[in-house]
Every structure is written in structure tokens, then in C-alpha cells.
Amino acid sequence: METFDQNEVDQILSEFHLQEEDLHVLMCRMQAEMERGLHLETNEEASVKMLPTYVRSTPDGSEVGDFLALDLGGTNFRVMLVKVGEDLEGQWKVETKHKMYSIPVDAMTGTAEMLFDYIAECISDYLDQQNMKHKKLPLGFTFSFPVRHEDIDKGILLNWTKGFKASGAEGNNVVGLLRDAIKRRGDFEMDVVAMVNDTVATMISCYYEDHHCEVGLIVGTGCNACYMEEMSNVELVEGEEGRMCVNTEWGAFGDTGELEDFRLEYDRVVDEASLNPGQQLYEKMIGGKYMGELVRLVLIKMVNENLLFGGESSEKLKTRGAFETQFVSQIEADTSDFKQTLNILRTLGVQATIGDCHAVRLACESVSTRAAIMCSAGLAGILNRMRQSRREELLRITVGVDGSVYKLHPSFKDKFHATVLKLTSGCEITFIQSEEGSGRGAALISAVAYKMAVMIGH
Ligand code: GLC
């Protein structure tokens, strides 16, 4: 079969299409949840938790020197050394040397002690390599999960996301877990001064290049955003002056029913098979942890309707997780002869015609476009809220962005930007991609926190 039944394929994929009104509905619901998350009396029941980060506007200077930064939150754990300093213009200069460690599945899903012992082991290895074991460095920890902070260096993990499940961590102070593991090893010392979410680290690292950067966004394994909110609206923290960065944890949008009229059969299957069913429903429609699996389920549906691969699937294609999210990017980037697509499909054990390749690409495009558009509605919700609460005719704002889906997918970015612009009149938006944001941001905020601790004599 060299052609494919475009009509029937389109019919199946049409479910992924969102109308302009849908976007307004999504944006308004997101804003309503954000509002509920900010209020003391509704925070508990809100799906979008709006977690205060204790990262405030107007930092008054910081230390210079070496900082160690840790980054935990995706499939890898990274340790890096960051030099924070000043140049002639008083700007920040940062250099990084990093090392990546993959996290064994049993550390992700065993006990918290196992996970944090593994982290401490990696730090020890890194310090050996850098010949720095004798130094007690200040440490910044990028920990990319929902944390209810009590201060910048103290906060409890609310719940794991993105396939992590280590028992005995939820409900506990994450910095405490790290300090205990370092103590258990006893072969080096660290001064843990700050813990931040990856969205926050990204925003901070971009802020030093562009002082309009007051939003941080991650579209990678997971999906989340933070932004600078007026202190007077952050009811969970005392004080009215200035602004505080709020980690929205918008990945959980939908967990109290706000997405029910948008979720498809495929979304339900992905959710039910996950380690956290019923949770992170918005994230599961966007994040890289789930995108490939969504496509796989669509392909299976098309095979079952006899629209693909001559109605024959393969054992591999029937296996959960077999269709990797990077395949989505690779297939969509393969616009000429389908060489790459045919290769990928061959590794999945299916015999594909050119017609099949067209259909597979359409499936990938449908899933990734919906992700980009859903994500735009969320960001537009934040930006319009910021413009309103600041009572600005024109909001000039920069959004710092990181994450594999945003950076590596061939068209996610463009569709995402275009849709955000459509939904945000009165905003002049610049997007900047952060490089090494998770590490640099953690180190930069640690430098600020460290200076403050030194000033108040801790
Ligand atoms: C998940 C986490 C969140 C993180 C995001 C991106 O949504 O809960 O804390 O920012 O993934 O890594």
C-alpha cells in the first residue's frame, strides 16, 4: 500500500485538534486554579499549588567564589562546580564544569535513603575527580519536584512526579535527607544553602542576562513554570513588600477535574499505567516522559482500525514505552525521504510503506502540536495575570526556558511561541533559552543566600 486512507487517519487524529475557544477556556481555568492556589483558604484543595520559593526580588548582592550545584529531577543526576564572580561592569560571570550520573531505577524507586546515598556517592566521586574533597563548599540543590518551602534551604517534598517513587521522602525535608546522607558517608562536608526548583533555577540564570526575566519554564521530561508574583498576593507567606518567585507546579492542573473535557482515551491509558495515577494530568499531555507513549497508543489504534502497517502490529510496538519521545522529534524532522522514519519503524519491528510513514508522522504532529498548544494556554494564563496585577499597559517580559522537548523538537517552539503571542495582547515577550540553567541558577541563588546568611551571622 503506497497510499493511506487520509480521511480515516484524519478522523482519528482530529480529536487532538484544539479550537481557539478551547484555548481561552483552558487559560481561564488555569488562572482560576492559580488564584485558588495563592489563597490560604483554598490552597489545600487547589490542583495548582503555587508554592512560594522564598526567592525574592531585589537581591542585595552576593558572595563570590566556588559553589557546588546539584541537579536532580530528570533521568540524570548532575554535579557541577560553578564559579560566581564579578567582572568590570559588575555583572555575573559563571563557569561550570559538570559531570552527569545516570540514576539506576532501583535508586529512583527504592527507599529515600538509597536515593540520597547514591547522590552522596556521586558528589564524593566528583570531588575526588576535582581534587576538592578537603573544601567545605556552599552547595545549591536544584530539586525538580513539588516542595513546600519553609525557607530557601528548607522544604518538604509533597509528592514525587515523573516516575520517581523512592519511599520515605514524601512529607520530609529534602535538604535534611541530603545532609543526613552526606553525614552517613562522612568523607566530605558541604554547606547546603539553597534548594530550588528547576523552573526557578532557569529563571534566575536567565535573569543575570536579562533583568526582564521574571518567568521560568521547563518543557522536558516534565512541564512546569514559575514567575514573580506580588508578595501581597502570596498569602502563604507573611509580608506585602516586593515580589516572590512562585513555583506554580502547574503539571498538576487537571487533577481536580479541570481537564476532563479535553482528555482523550490515550491520556487515560497513559495515566492509569503511570506510577502516579490521577496526578500531573496536564503534565502528562505535554511532557517528554509521556509524549512518545501517547504516539504509540495512537499508532496501535490505527493498526487496530486497519489503517497502518497492513493491520499488523509487532511485539515491540505493543510494549509500553517502546516508542521513545525522541522518535517524535526525529520523525517530524525527517521531511524528505522518510529514511529516518523507516529506520525507527524497523527497530520497532514493523514493515512500513511510505503511506505508513506519512500516517505515523501525522500522529506525531498531532500529539506534539496539542502539547505545544496546551502549554501555551498555561503560559498565557501566567503572563496575562502578571500584566493585570502589575496594572501595566504593556508588560515587557522575558521567559527563560529549558527542557528537551522545547529545545530538541523541530517545531514545538515555533508553534508554542505563536500561540502564546496570539493569547497575550499587551505583552511584549522575549523567550530565552537557558544554557546549564539548572546548575548555574542554583549556584547563583546560593551565592545570594550565602551572603545573607553571612550578614545575619548564621
Ligand atoms: C515536574 C515537577 C516540577 C518540575 C517539572 C519540570 O512537573 O513536579 O517540580 O519543575 O517536572 O522538571
Short mmCIF file of all heavy atoms in Angstrom, two decimals, residues 21 59 62 83 108 152-153 169 198 248 256 262 284 356 363 394 397 405 415 442:
data_model
loop_
_atom_site.label_atom_id
_atom_site.label_comp_id
_atom_site.label_asym_id
_atom_site.label_seq_id
_atom_site.Cartn_x
_atom_site.Cartn_y
_atom_site.Cartn_z
N GLU A 21 -11.36 28.75 20.92
CA GLU A 21 -12.16 28.91 22.16
C GLU A 21 -11.65 27.96 23.25
O GLU A 21 -11.68 28.30 24.43
CB GLU A 21 -13.63 28.54 21.96
CG GLU A 21 -14.36 29.22 20.87
CD GLU A 21 -15.08 28.18 20.01
OE1 GLU A 21 -15.85 27.36 20.58
OE2 GLU A 21 -14.84 28.21 18.79
N PRO A 59 17.59 41.11 45.13
CA PRO A 59 18.70 40.57 45.92
C PRO A 59 19.73 41.68 46.10
O PRO A 59 20.01 42.42 45.17
CB PRO A 59 19.26 39.45 45.04
CG PRO A 59 18.85 39.81 43.65
CD PRO A 59 17.58 40.61 43.76
N SER A 62 25.83 39.52 46.46
CA SER A 62 26.03 38.12 46.78
C SER A 62 27.52 37.84 46.94
O SER A 62 28.36 38.67 46.63
CB SER A 62 25.45 37.25 45.67
OG SER A 62 26.32 37.24 44.58
N LYS A 83 31.75 28.79 39.38
CA LYS A 83 32.48 29.94 39.94
C LYS A 83 31.62 31.16 39.76
O LYS A 83 31.22 31.48 38.65
CB LYS A 83 33.79 30.15 39.19
CG LYS A 83 34.87 29.18 39.59
CD LYS A 83 36.17 29.54 38.89
CE LYS A 83 37.22 28.46 39.10
NZ LYS A 83 37.49 28.18 40.52
N MET A 108 15.73 5.20 42.05
CA MET A 108 14.55 6.05 41.85
C MET A 108 13.33 5.52 42.58
O MET A 108 12.47 6.27 43.01
CB MET A 108 14.20 6.12 40.35
CG MET A 108 14.93 7.19 39.59
SD MET A 108 14.77 6.95 37.81
CE MET A 108 13.15 7.60 37.49
N ILE A 152 14.43 29.21 52.13
CA ILE A 152 15.10 28.81 50.89
C ILE A 152 15.88 27.49 51.04
O ILE A 152 16.07 26.76 50.09
CB ILE A 152 16.02 29.95 50.37
CG1 ILE A 152 16.71 29.56 49.06
CG2 ILE A 152 17.08 30.34 51.38
CD1 ILE A 152 16.34 30.43 47.94
N ASP A 153 16.28 27.17 52.27
CA ASP A 153 17.05 25.92 52.46
C ASP A 153 16.27 24.88 53.25
O ASP A 153 16.85 23.98 53.86
CB ASP A 153 18.38 26.23 53.15
CG ASP A 153 18.18 26.76 54.55
OD1 ASP A 153 17.03 27.13 54.90
OD2 ASP A 153 19.16 26.82 55.31
N ALA A 169 10.40 9.64 51.39
CA ALA A 169 10.83 11.01 51.09
C ALA A 169 9.65 11.98 51.17
O ALA A 169 9.77 13.09 51.69
CB ALA A 169 11.47 11.07 49.71
N ASP A 198 13.74 23.46 39.27
CA ASP A 198 14.44 23.74 38.01
C ASP A 198 13.87 24.97 37.27
O ASP A 198 14.61 25.70 36.60
CB ASP A 198 14.47 22.51 37.08
CG ASP A 198 13.11 21.88 36.83
OD1 ASP A 198 12.13 22.31 37.46
OD2 ASP A 198 13.03 20.94 36.01
N THR A 248 4.65 27.34 40.31
CA THR A 248 3.22 27.03 40.16
C THR A 248 2.92 25.54 40.32
O THR A 248 1.86 25.17 40.77
CB THR A 248 2.69 27.44 38.76
OG1 THR A 248 3.35 26.66 37.76
CG2 THR A 248 2.91 28.92 38.51
N THR A 256 -8.03 18.03 39.64
CA THR A 256 -9.34 18.12 40.28
C THR A 256 -10.43 18.32 39.22
O THR A 256 -11.43 18.99 39.45
CB THR A 256 -9.38 19.23 41.37
OG1 THR A 256 -8.84 20.43 40.81
CG2 THR A 256 -8.55 18.86 42.57
N PHE A 262 -11.10 17.58 27.96
CA PHE A 262 -10.03 17.61 26.97
C PHE A 262 -9.25 16.30 26.91
O PHE A 262 -8.56 16.03 25.94
CB PHE A 262 -9.05 18.76 27.27
CG PHE A 262 -9.68 20.11 27.07
CD1 PHE A 262 -10.20 20.83 28.13
CD2 PHE A 262 -9.77 20.64 25.80
CE1 PHE A 262 -10.79 22.07 27.94
CE2 PHE A 262 -10.35 21.88 25.58
CZ PHE A 262 -10.87 22.60 26.66
N LYS A 284 1.06 15.24 31.86
CA LYS A 284 1.01 14.00 31.08
C LYS A 284 0.54 14.24 29.65
O LYS A 284 0.68 13.37 28.80
CB LYS A 284 0.15 12.95 31.79
CG LYS A 284 0.86 12.33 32.99
CD LYS A 284 -0.04 11.43 33.83
CE LYS A 284 0.76 10.84 34.99
NZ LYS A 284 -0.10 10.36 36.08
N ASP A 356 2.46 4.46 5.25
CA ASP A 356 2.52 4.31 6.72
C ASP A 356 3.34 5.43 7.34
O ASP A 356 2.98 5.99 8.38
CB ASP A 356 3.18 2.97 7.08
CG ASP A 356 2.30 1.77 6.75
OD1 ASP A 356 1.06 1.93 6.71
OD2 ASP A 356 2.86 0.67 6.54
N ALA A 363 0.57 11.37 13.10
CA ALA A 363 0.27 11.04 14.50
C ALA A 363 1.21 11.80 15.43
O ALA A 363 0.78 12.40 16.44
CB ALA A 363 0.39 9.54 14.72
N LEU A 394 1.59 47.87 28.88
CA LEU A 394 2.40 46.93 28.11
C LEU A 394 3.33 46.21 29.08
O LEU A 394 4.13 46.85 29.76
CB LEU A 394 3.23 47.70 27.07
CG LEU A 394 4.15 46.82 26.23
CD1 LEU A 394 3.35 46.00 25.23
CD2 LEU A 394 5.17 47.67 25.51
N ILE A 397 8.30 41.44 29.14
CA ILE A 397 8.67 40.31 29.96
C ILE A 397 9.53 39.32 29.19
O ILE A 397 9.34 39.13 28.00
CB ILE A 397 7.39 39.61 30.51
CG1 ILE A 397 7.70 38.51 31.52
CG2 ILE A 397 6.53 39.03 29.39
CD1 ILE A 397 7.70 39.00 32.92
N VAL A 405 12.07 18.83 25.30
CA VAL A 405 11.01 18.95 24.30
C VAL A 405 11.10 20.32 23.63
O VAL A 405 11.09 20.44 22.41
CB VAL A 405 9.61 18.74 24.93
CG1 VAL A 405 8.50 19.09 23.94
CG2 VAL A 405 9.46 17.30 25.42
N LYS A 415 5.46 26.70 17.27
CA LYS A 415 4.01 26.65 17.48
C LYS A 415 3.65 27.22 18.84
O LYS A 415 2.67 27.94 19.01
CB LYS A 415 3.50 25.21 17.38
CG LYS A 415 3.54 24.68 15.97
CD LYS A 415 3.08 23.25 15.87
CE LYS A 415 3.29 22.77 14.44
NZ LYS A 415 3.35 21.31 14.33
N ALA A 442 21.07 27.51 40.45
CA ALA A 442 21.17 27.06 41.85
C ALA A 442 22.39 27.69 42.50
O ALA A 442 22.35 28.11 43.67
CB ALA A 442 21.27 25.53 41.90
#
